[in-house]
Amino acid sequence: MSTINTYGLFQIIVSIIFVIFVFKMILPARGVEQITADELRKRLKDDSIQFIDVRPPRKYHQFHIYGFENIPLRDIRKEAANLDKSRPIVVICQTGAQANRACKRLKRKGFTKLANVRGGLSTWDPIHIDRT
């Protein structure tokens, strides 16, 4: 009888750890601003902001928003040295999940002015943006 109880307890503990892991992966990082596509439109004309698209290069070259630099998620830690910590950074991907992960990685590198586009490019209506 105690073997069954031990096994049941083990399953509960593993389930709890799994749920915590999943929530930790999808929840926004503390201190990272979550912005909408409409808020992004307003910020695109601000030349002080660094805009980063963390999708793979192939996806970036198929479609990207003017002004965004492509730094794939896998390279974000290495490329962080080329970014200015004193300037704001807006990060985007297809759905917002990879951008959220990139923000967490940048936050660990000491960046504090971070914003993730909630919903990513899937919420973007591609209209012409005049950057003049």
Side-chain angles (χ1 to χ4, degrees), residues 21-29 32 34 54 71-77 91-93 95-109 114-117:
F21 174 77
V22 169
F23 275 118
K24 199 168 174 128
M25 291 299 291
I26 62 173
L27 288 176
V32 174
Q34 302 296 312
V54 295
I71 303 176
L73 179 62
R74 69 176 184 266
D75 299 333
I76 200 76
R77 286 185 189 108
V91 185
I92 199 167
C93 66
T95 63
Q98 287 186 347
N100 188 50
R101 289 174 56 199
C103 286
K104 287 178 181 181
R105 291 176 186 181
L106 290 170
K107 191 165 170 60
R108 280 187 231 121
K109 291 278 189 180
L114 298 165
N116 176 34
V117 180

Side-chain angles (χ1 to χ4, degrees), residues 48-63:
S48 71
I49 299 175
Q50 302 168 96
F51 296 100
I52 300 172
D53 185 327
V54 295
R55 295 175 302 144
R58 182 177 52 81
K59 295 284 187 182
Y60 174 82
H61 291 298
Q62 287 174 352
F63 170 77

Side-chain angles (χ1 to χ4, degrees), residues 61-72:
H61 291 298
Q62 287 174 352
F63 170 77
H64 64 272
I65 300 171
Y66 177 81
F68 274 80
E69 177 185 354
N70 184 224
I71 303 176

